[in-house]
Amino acid sequence: MSYIVDRRLNGKDKSSVNRQRFLDRYKKQIREAVSDAASQRSITDVESGEQITIPQRNISEPIFQHGQGGDRTIIHPGNKEFATGDQLQRPETGGGGSGSGEASDSGEGSDEFMFSLSREEYLDFLFDDLALPNLIKQHLKGTDSFRFKHAGVVSEGNPSKINIVRSMRTSLSRRLALGGSSRARIKEARRELELLREEEINVERQQAILLLEEEIKTLTERLARIPYLDTYDLRYNHHVKDPVPTSQAVMFCLMDVSGSMTQPMKEMAKRFYMLLYLFLERSYEKTEIVFIRHHTSAKEVDEQEFFYSRETGGTVVSSALKLMDEIITDRYPVDQWNIYGAQASDGDNWNDDSPVCKKFLTEKLLPITQYFTYVEITPRTHQSLWDQYQLIEQECGDRFAMQEIKDLADIYPVFRELFHRRES
Amino acid sequence: MSETRKKEKCQPISEGSEWTFDLIEQYDLEIARVAEHYGLDTYPNQIEIISSEQMMDAYSSIGMPVGYNHWSFGKQFISVNQNYKRGVMGLAYEIVINSNPCIAYLMEENSMTMQALVIAHACYGHNSFFKNNYLFKTWTDASSIIDYLVFAKNYIAKCEERHGVSEVESLLDSCHALMNYGVDRYKRPYPISVELERQRQKEREEYQQSQVNELWRTIPGDTQTRRAGDKKIQFPQEPQENLLYFIEKNAPRLEPWQREVVRIVRKTAQYFYPQRQTQVMNEGWATFWHYTLLNHLYDEGKVSDGFMLEFLQSHTGVVFQPHFDHPGYSGINPYALGFSMFCDIRRICESPTEEDRQWFPDIAGSDWLSTLHFAMQNFKDESFILQYLSPRLMREMRFFTVHDDDKKEMLEIGAIHDEQGYQKIREDLARQYNLSVNEPDIQVVNVDLHGDRSISLRHKRQQRRPLGDTTEEVMRHVHRLWSFPVHIESSCDGKIEKNYHCPPRAKTDPSLFGMGFNFMGV
């Protein structure tokens, strides 16, 4: 006799613990693979998960094995033309050839171990150990926005918030409590009445019956007077105002589109912005992006125009910073928004403008932004803007960071550098 | 005539490919009836229907229904999952566990025909093999295995709680590296229940530690006398092939819980040992019986023509043996070889040729059923092939041997399927299934009890085959378990070819300087 059991409803993720252990164990290798992938592939692709490849030898489990060499005899099926004593050329080592190497003997499987990470896992690895600076400050600061939160049940409140179940429950228990003794007495009286009625008929008995009937009537009336629902049965849902940390962020992308910025430079900037966006998106419920491009004057544009339209002319960086400030005042109240700035440029600026930028940043923008990053995409030597910004970095290192990108492969490392978790 | 009689007498159990629990039960009853007719003796069956995800889970824990957690199972799972998703690999239709009752997993995606095939294959084929083959009878205990695995899982989880996941993990890594050397070939482990196991574990802990302490006792006065007397006594007295057992009992620095973990890995290895030794026979036996049982049902008219076609298609896929020059060739298919051999034995019994009478005088013309049962019960792959591989089958499979000697420039064809070659092919093929030939022969030969406490292993080269590249890495694992230096001498015909040391030795031999006392403070 066989038992047939349907196990399909049992959990199916029995292996998830083991899978997680594997990921933990090879964190380092996987992170390397992820950062390779991030710097080689288009960043837009990270919306999906990622195929990760790590070298097989790193994760092999060694056992005692035979090595190459010695004297071996192997049997194969399907002889066609061989006869005893035939001599054959040895196949090239590693090539396998006509089957004289079984994989298990040489210990060489495929060289790479490939598997996929889900998008979440991928981003976890991608942003592992990175943190948004000054996140906590804003949490403390952002007490201006509230959220209503359940805070139990109370006995006074607005009719629209009546809690029917709880009210009925209180009503029921009140009725039970108030009517309990009467009901018990009625029951008892009825039983006595029953007994009396079975006795012989006489005056005393009639008297007693009348008395009892009277009592039952009074009690029933008393019971009927207990109200079904009383005002003090009513219960109301209670809500309290709970201050919530501001959980929306706006990211300002500032880019120099003067003639000296070439398309490949813009591509690099774009990838940097993509990474930043993904990163912000993980920390905030809502993330908005504002694109500001500038040459001698600044303008707010949409994404397409930001990255692809061509402009020529000189460069005045402070124009973009000023516009950013205006937009913040207009649309993004500092107490409700976490503000991030990311500026990309090839470092060209009109010389007299650089000190202005420094002043404007330190005095106006940095106090209201969470973090401001500057990446300089240039193969050339730095100009005055870089020098001025370096001064800012020395002054306000906790809110301002700058890095240089030379080619595509730099982007991810630079990003890591900018957002490296700091000890607070 | 028989056709019409069948049609009248019997309706097929089902038409169509959808399965239901009722149908599975009916098929199981029918198959059980036929299996009994052929004298298959089985444990009770527990058939579990699972989804493909669950199958992947089962797959990656090497088929253990409950297993302790370890990253290597995660790795296995990831690669199974990946291959399955990419369509490189289909999932096994079934997994069957050597336990009592015998647990078989059926995948819900299978069609009715496949479910019936799996029931015949796993629940009656493998099951009867597990119950009757001498290796399984001797080395595994079907009734206690699930209990033991539960005990192991809980014990290891407890250790992780107490000593940290990474500590336990690295210990398991080391044990896994020696898993193939954790097998007792001569002593029968006796079955006990979980309760008993737990209780024993406690006693063992105390006792073992006391034994180890005894062994490593270094009280000066005592040592003096012992040293004088024991100078020539070797420890261990005989070379030990069960490395894990030796370590569990004698490693100087393992804590009691660590010894228990070593033991758990060793026990698991022991449990799987018979399966590794009987792959061809086990799969061959199960395949032979699903083929025979379902054909029997077909002859009775219990299954339809459509059922048979689907069944045969999948059966031929399972027993397909690509030739050596086929792009899909990856060695000999154990299903194909095993199935052909059992069919061949039946043929030899039922209609022997002159050649068969000459090669198999004992079984030619005998009762096929009892001959087959005898073969299943009393052999393992190696001896089974040596005993039963017939010249006719060698011709059918067109076997040939390639002789690969690194001292010669060319490969040589050693023997082919002809009169002169039969004997040679049979021996060589049997050797190919001998585990002790496939794995390097490594044994514990000496422990330097009063010196630096190093352990010496000896590798005997077979056919001059050296140790592979992984050796040093495995030695680091041995070193982790033993805590003191590990040496391997690899010898060929009594001549030492190569020495391995862990930790690696400097040019000058440190033992010359009497480093021993450094290690005294246990």
Side-chain angles (χ1 to χ4, degrees):
Chain A
M1 184 57 213
S2 307
Y3 316 94
I4 299 170
V5 191
D6 187 359
R7 284 260 188 248
R8 285 171 295 176
L9 294 180
N10 286 27
K12 61 178 180 189
D13 280 336
K14 251 160 94 181
S15 298
S16 54
V17 179
N18 292 332
R19 182 173 191 277
Q20 196 51 50
R21 291 220 173 150
F22 174 79
L23 294 186
D24 288 347
R25 183 181 172 103
Y26 293 104
K27 217 168 184 161
K28 199 168 137 255
Q29 284 91 335
I30 295 174
R31 201 187 297 152
E32 273 165 22
V34 164
S35 74
D36 279 354
S39 54
Q40 280 161 20
R41 295 160 36 124
S42 162
I43 295 297
T44 31
D45 286 355
V46 298
E47 281 301 314
S48 56
E50 180 63 64
Q51 289 279 359
I52 290 300
T53 310
I54 54 183
Q56 186 81 301
R57 76 191 130 74
N58 285 349
I59 57 165
S60 66
E61 298 160 78
I63 51 169
F64 282 125
Q65 283 173 331
H66 284 303
Q68 293 290 347
D71 178 8
R72 300 195 301 165
T73 305
I74 300 159
I75 302 225
H76 297 290
N79 180 19
K80 307 234 159 42
E81 76 267 342
F82 299 138
T84 312
D86 280 1
Q87 303 282 315
L88 300 177
Q89 203 59 48
R90 204 183 289 276
E92 292 297 310
T93 28
S98 61
S100 72
E102 274 168 299
S104 57
D105 281 330
S106 58
E108 289 165 3
S110 62
D111 292 342
E112 312 237 280
F113 185 74
M114 191 161 77
F115 60 99
S116 45
L117 294 174
S118 70
R119 175 172 191 262
E120 273 310 299
E121 285 167 334
Y122 176 73
L123 292 181
D124 276 345
F125 276 108
L126 194 65
F127 298 124
D128 185 39
D129 255 0
L130 298 184
L132 280 173
N134 311 324
L135 192 61
I136 300 161
K137 273 184 200 160
Q138 188 67 3
H139 276 193
L140 296 172
K141 202 164 88 182
T143 46
D144 280 358
S145 45
F146 294 96
R147 191 176 55 186
F148 281 100
K149 205 176 99 182
H150 269 290
V153 175
V154 290
S155 52
E156 277 177 12
N158 182 326
S160 66
K161 286 196 196 167
I162 204 161
N163 184 327
I164 296 174
V165 174
R166 291 291 290 267
S167 303
M168 296 314 286
R169 196 190 293 164
T170 338
S171 146
L172 179 65
S173 50
R174 179 183 48 81
R175 277 179 283 128
L176 284 177
L178 287 181
S181 57
S182 309
R183 254 191 303 273
R185 178 60 199 142
I186 291 176
K187 232 181 188 171
E188 202 182 320
R190 287 214 172 108
R191 205 162 37 237
E192 283 170 26
L193 206 58
E194 240 14 59
L195 290 173
L196 281 175
R197 288 214 169 110
E198 279 163 20
E199 279 174 26
E200 274 175 65
I201 301 176
N202 59 35
V203 184
E204 246 174 67
R205 195 197 74 144
Q206 278 319 93
Q207 203 88 43
I209 287 180
L210 276 180
L211 267 176
L212 276 174
E213 278 176 345
E214 185 64 24
E215 194 185 356
I216 290 173
K217 202 175 147 223
T218 336
L219 285 172
T220 322
E221 276 167 10
R222 188 183 293 169
L223 271 182
R225 276 201 300 277
I226 298 176
Y228 184 71
L229 197 62
D230 209 334
T231 27
Y232 46 78
D233 295 338
L234 296 181
R235 292 291 180 271
Y236 301 90
N237 290 329
H238 186 49
H239 289 100
V240 289
K241 263 175 138 189
D242 198 29
V244 284
T246 310
S247 63
Q248 49 191 1
V250 56
M251 164 179 156
F252 284 89
C253 300
L254 281 61
M255 187 164 68
D256 178 3
V257 290
S258 63
S260 54
M261 279 289 275
T262 59
Q263 196 57 35
M265 285 176 172
K266 287 187 196 169
E267 281 295 320
M268 281 190 243
K270 181 177 180 180
R271 292 190 175 203
F272 181 79
Y273 291 136
M274 284 297 308
L275 270 180
L276 184 56
Y277 178 69
L278 279 173
F279 188 43
L280 289 179
E281 216 190 9
R282 280 162 60 84
S283 312
Y284 293 103
E285 278 165 28
K286 192 176 148 201
T287 312
E288 287 192 7
I289 310 185
V290 176
F291 295 104
I292 298 174
R293 52 168 211 171
H294 69 90
H295 36 95
T296 45
S297 66
K299 191 177 163 199
E300 187 186 349
V301 293
D302 64 14
E303 187 180 343
Q304 187 61 30
E305 208 179 330
F306 184 69
F307 288 115
Y308 297 107
S309 86
R310 295 174 168 279
E311 295 279 339
T312 49
T315 316
V316 179
V317 174
S318 63
S319 65
L321 299 175
K322 280 179 185 141
L323 182 61
M324 176 174 165
D325 186 47
E326 276 164 34
I327 295 175
I328 293 174
T329 331
D330 270 4
R331 308 203 312 251
Y332 299 102
V334 180
D335 53 357
Q336 288 170 26
W337 291 85
N338 292 289
I339 297 164
Y340 290 87
Q343 186 187 358
S345 152
D346 59 355
D348 270 353
N349 196 13
W350 180 50
N351 264 353
D352 288 352
D353 187 49
S354 295
V356 180
C357 291
K358 177 191 174 244
K359 193 156 181 280
F360 194 80
L361 261 174
T362 32
E363 284 173 12
K364 291 211 83 167
L365 280 181
L366 286 183
I368 56 169
T369 50
Q370 302 295 85
Y371 203 52
F372 194 97
T373 56
Y374 171 66
V375 286
E376 189 159 305
I377 308 166
T378 177
R380 299 188 300 263
T381 48
H382 302 300
Q383 300 180 32
S384 65
L385 189 65
W386 179 268
D387 301 332
Q388 289 294 330
Y389 274 14
Q390 270 188 326
L391 293 176
I392 306 181
E393 198 181 20
Q394 280 159 20
E395 279 171 44
C396 327
D398 60 332
R399 295 189 164 241
F400 184 88
M402 56 194 287
Q403 285 287 332
E404 185 191 0
I405 294 179
K406 284 208 175 80
D407 60 47
L408 274 183
D410 286 344
I411 296 175
Y412 182 66
V414 161
F415 185 84
R416 288 201 73 91
E417 192 52 43
L418 287 175
F419 288 95
H420 188 70
R421 190 188 297 280
R422 283 145 221 241
E423 298 301 323
S424 47
Chain B
M1 185 208 81
S2 67
E3 272 304 305
T4 49
R5 191 191 46 132
K6 267 186 265 161
K7 285 271 155 58
E8 278 160 25
K9 246 179 119 182
C10 252
Q11 277 294 312
I13 304 169
S14 73
E15 303 276 357
S17 62
E18 289 301 308
W19 63 267
T20 63
F21 284 96
D22 281 345
L23 282 178
I24 287 187
E25 209 172 319
Q26 282 182 45
Y27 273 104
D28 177 62
L29 277 177
E30 289 297 334
I31 294 170
R33 176 180 58 81
V34 181
E36 206 185 328
H37 168 78
Y38 287 111
L40 292 182
D41 170 28
T42 59
Y43 294 119
N45 281 302
Q46 180 167 325
I47 299 172
E48 304 196 350
I49 314 284
I50 60 175
S51 64
S52 57
E53 285 99 337
Q54 288 170 320
M55 184 58 102
M56 274 188 266
D57 283 338
Y59 220 88
S60 35
S61 51
I62 39 177
M64 290 188 292
V66 265
Y68 50 83
N69 289 323
H70 189 253
W71 67 270
S72 60
F73 303 135
K75 171 183 144 188
Q76 179 77 8
F77 174 75
I78 286 171
S79 76
V80 167
N81 195 356
Q82 185 75 9
N83 288 338
Y84 180 58
K85 275 193 186 151
R86 277 163 50 206
V88 177
M89 181 186 94
L91 284 179
Y93 298 117
E94 46 92 15
I95 283 184
V96 55
I97 290 157
N98 168 24
S99 62
N100 181 12
C102 178
I103 301 173
Y105 295 131
L106 305 192
M107 223 171 24
E108 67 171 337
E109 282 87 344
N110 292 350
S111 66
M112 188 60 241
T113 308
M114 288 311 298
Q115 306 290 34
L117 169 76
V118 171
I119 292 173
H121 183 90
C123 304
Y124 296 92
H126 283 307
N127 188 344
S128 59
F129 194 87
F130 290 150
K131 193 172 175 188
N132 295 292
N133 180 268
Y134 84 104
L135 277 178
F136 285 86
K137 274 160 100 174
T138 323
W139 303 117
T140 67
D141 181 47
S143 58
S144 67
I145 183 63
I146 301 285
D147 280 357
Y148 187 76
L149 291 177
V150 170
F151 160 80
K153 185 185 164 81
N154 293 341
Y155 190 85
I156 287 186
K158 216 173 74 195
C159 290
E160 284 173 348
E161 234 168 71
R162 202 173 286 173
H163 307 281
V165 172
S166 60
E167 178 99 347
V168 177
E169 186 174 272
S170 51
L171 178 64
L172 282 173
D173 285 349
S174 300
C175 297
H176 285 183
L178 296 178
M179 205 160 179
N180 291 345
Y181 294 86
V183 179
D184 234 337
R185 291 181 170 89
Y186 303 106
K187 264 178 279 168
R188 159 122 170 75
Y190 36 91
I192 48 175
S193 73
V194 203
E195 207 26 66
L196 213 53
E197 180 71 42
R198 200 169 297 135
Q199 200 187 326
R200 287 261 180 95
Q201 183 263 316
K202 277 254 160 254
E203 292 166 12
R204 208 156 49 221
E205 222 169 68
E206 287 153 20
Y207 175 73
Q208 278 191 1
Q209 201 56 49
S210 71
Q211 282 307 95
V212 174
N213 291 346
E214 185 61 31
L215 188 61
W216 295 103
R217 197 175 3 214
T218 48
I219 297 168
D222 196 23
T223 324
Q224 286 309 320
T225 50
R226 268 173 44 169
R227 257 196 188 171
D230 294 356
K231 201 83 190 178
K232 283 170 215 105
I233 292 181
Q234 278 250 330
F235 181 78
Q237 290 183 345
E238 299 282 329
Q240 300 285 317
E241 59 173 359
N242 191 336
L243 262 53
L244 279 184
Y245 181 83
F246 189 81
I247 285 169
E248 179 197 333
K249 298 298 177 201
N250 301 306
R253 276 200 174 158
L254 289 186
E255 295 189 21
W257 69 270
Q258 290 172 315
R259 289 181 208 283
E260 190 64 30
V261 171
V262 175
R263 184 182 162 86
I264 284 170
V265 175
R266 186 168 70 74
K267 286 273 197 172
T268 319
Q270 187 82 62
Y271 170 73
F272 284 111
Y273 183 55
Q275 306 204 359
R276 292 168 54 220
Q277 282 179 297
T278 55
Q279 217 196 356
V280 169
M281 280 182 80
N282 200 344
E283 293 303 352
W285 176 259
T287 308
F288 176 83
W289 282 110
H290 78 227
Y291 183 78
T292 310
L293 295 178
L294 292 182
N295 267 303
H296 188 103
L297 284 181
Y298 180 64
D299 288 343
E300 291 180 338
K302 293 270 176 162
V303 297
S304 65
D305 292 343
F307 177 101
M308 238 18 215
L309 278 179
E310 191 188 344
F311 155 67
L312 283 174
Q313 195 211 357
S314 134
H315 172 77
T316 14
V318 168
V319 298
F320 175 62
Q321 173 63 67
H323 284 176
F324 75 99
D325 48 0
H326 190 278
Y329 177 70
S330 60
I332 294 168
N333 174 358
Y335 290 82
L337 180 60
F339 176 69
S340 314
M341 283 187 66
F342 279 110
C343 287
D344 197 49
I345 298 174
R346 180 175 179 175
R347 181 194 59 77
I348 293 170
C349 295
E350 286 183 334
S351 47
T353 61
E354 213 25 64
E355 184 185 45
D356 295 326
R357 289 191 195 282
Q358 196 188 327
W359 279 71
F360 302 101
D362 295 349
I363 63 167
S366 68
D367 172 37
W368 71 269
L369 200 53
S370 53
T371 308
L372 230 61
H373 276 285
F374 179 82
M376 175 270 280
Q377 285 160 7
N378 297 297
F379 293 87
K380 56 181 171 182
D381 282 351
E382 183 197 357
S383 51
F384 178 66
I385 290 169
L386 207 52
Q387 182 77 18
Y388 292 109
L389 186 67
S390 76
R392 181 179 160 132
L393 189 59
M394 286 182 246
R395 286 196 299 273
E396 266 171 27
M397 306 275 285
R398 309 191 69 78
F399 279 133
F400 66 101
T401 69
V402 178
H403 189 172
D404 178 359
D405 186 342
D406 62 350
K407 284 187 178 159
K408 290 183 189 151
E409 186 130 341
M410 306 278 266
L411 298 178
E412 190 184 339
I413 302 295
I416 64 163
H417 42 90
D418 60 9
E419 208 60 54
Q420 300 84 48
Y422 292 142
Q423 203 65 41
K424 176 94 173 74
I425 287 185
R426 194 148 91 162
E427 281 162 18
D428 285 342
L429 188 63
R431 201 197 334 270
Q432 209 159 302
Y433 286 96
N434 183 349
L435 285 188
S436 50
V437 171
N438 287 331
E439 288 161 3
D441 172 11
I442 294 176
Q443 305 198 1
V444 183
V445 285
N446 188 31
V447 170
D448 189 357
L449 276 186
H450 304 297
D452 64 358
R453 302 192 165 186
S454 63
I455 184 170
S456 302
L457 310 179
R458 187 173 61 209
H459 170 230
K460 266 197 208 150
R461 293 194 183 185
Q462 300 141 325
Q463 265 102 23
R464 307 197 317 275
R465 298 172 71 179
L467 283 172
D469 314 331
T470 50
T471 308
E472 268 147 35
E473 212 171 328
V474 184
M475 283 180 75
R476 279 198 287 280
H477 285 299
V478 183
H479 182 246
R480 181 187 283 156
L481 295 170
W482 187 253
S483 314
F484 292 100
V486 181
H487 311 297
I488 296 184
E489 57 175 51
S490 175
S491 64
C492 187
D493 302 324
K495 199 175 123 237
I496 296 171
E497 300 274 345
K498 186 165 181 185
N499 279 306
Y500 298 84
H501 304 285
C502 183
R505 254 187 205 177
K507 283 276 176 267
T508 44
D509 190 346
S511 65
L512 293 179
F513 301 103
M515 293 269 285
F517 65 88
N518 276 346
F519 297 99
M520 285 299 185
V522 176

